Amino acid sequence: MPAARPARIPGQRDGADDVVAAGTTVDHLTETYRAHYRSLLGLAALLLDDTASCEDVVQEAFIRVHSARKRVRDPEKTLAYLRQTVVNLSRSALRRRILGLKLLSKPMPDMASAEEGAYDQLERDSLIKAMKGLQRRQREVLVLRYFADMTEAQVAETLGISLGSVKAYGSRGIAALRLAMEASA
């Protein structure tokens, strides 16, 4: 039975076992991690606000440097590359947060409960019923004065009656409305 040959790594040339690949080695990256992890975490903490995000950013930076270690030809520049990656990832995290806050739906305004809505509806119904029981002029004066928010002079002009008549119809209408509302309650 023939001896098993080690599998050939793609891109590896025959006899290249003795040559050290250019770029940052895994051992160098491990040493960089041990020596500078806390300082990189501190850098991320200056840019971000929570510890979990800082740790995520630093870990992602090491993953990216590990993936691109062959491109970092000078091992002395590994730390600079890591720092820049931490800064860029922190910026990206902040951008995502800001975008997320902008896209959040606006909170609903405070709404009355169903019970309050039912009471309001009953009150409106009894008010409408009481308004229908008023004399026509009293109803017109009250509607224009309080629901259309007109002044007494504007009501007088709109209805073509005197200012004194508007006051008289208004006060009699309110008194009749009060009696009708108390009777229905």
Side-chain angles (χ1 to χ4, degrees), residues 1-6:
M1 186 162 171
R5 283 186 6 178

Side-chain angles (χ1 to χ4, degrees), residues 109-120:
D110 291 337
M111 306 234 354
S113 68
E115 186 177 83
E116 290 176 32
Y119 283 131
D120 289 345

Side-chain angles (χ1 to χ4, degrees), residues 9-160:
I9 299 171
Q12 181 180 1
R13 294 172 287 162
D14 292 334
D17 294 337
D18 300 338
V19 179
V20 175
T24 304
T25 64
V26 175
D27 290 338
H28 178 71
L29 196 56
T30 303
E31 289 304 315
T32 305
Y33 180 86
R34 286 185 185 133
H36 298 285
Y37 175 77
R38 290 208 181 274
S39 68
L40 291 169
L41 198 59
L43 174 64
L46 292 172
L47 300 171
L48 298 171
D49 55 354
D50 64 302
T51 307
S53 294
C54 295
E55 289 172 349
D56 289 344
V57 162
V58 173
Q59 290 299 324
E60 180 66 24
F62 273 100
I63 290 169
R64 290 188 182 191
V65 170
H66 180 268
S67 299
R69 68 185 180 277
K70 301 242 188 277
R71 286 184 281 155
V72 182
R73 298 211 191 310
D74 186 3
E76 298 300 317
K77 293 186 180 179
T78 303
L79 184 59
Y81 188 83
L82 278 165
R83 284 184 182 135
Q84 189 61 48
T85 305
V86 167
V87 170
N88 290 341
L89 290 172
S90 297
R91 286 180 187 155
S92 295
L94 290 174
R95 270 194 301 271
R96 279 192 303 276
R97 283 186 196 168
I98 291 169
L99 183 62
L101 290 174
K102 286 180 181 178
L103 296 178
L104 281 177
S105 62
K106 303 290 185 247
M108 295 294 293
D110 291 337
M111 306 234 354
S113 68
E115 186 177 83
E116 290 176 32
Y119 283 131
D120 289 345
Q121 185 64 42
L122 288 173
E123 194 171 289
R124 257 190 311 276
D125 290 345
S126 63
L127 177 64
I128 290 171
K129 183 179 178 185
M131 288 289 287
K132 288 181 180 178
L134 296 178
Q135 295 177 4
R136 181 179 57 88
R137 281 286 185 193
Q138 290 174 344
R139 186 172 51 248
E140 289 171 350
V141 167
L142 291 179
V143 167
L144 291 175
R145 179 76 175 101
Y146 297 104
F147 292 101
D149 203 26
M150 292 182 167
T151 63
E152 290 175 337
Q154 290 171 329
V155 171
E157 185 181 330
T158 301
L159 294 178

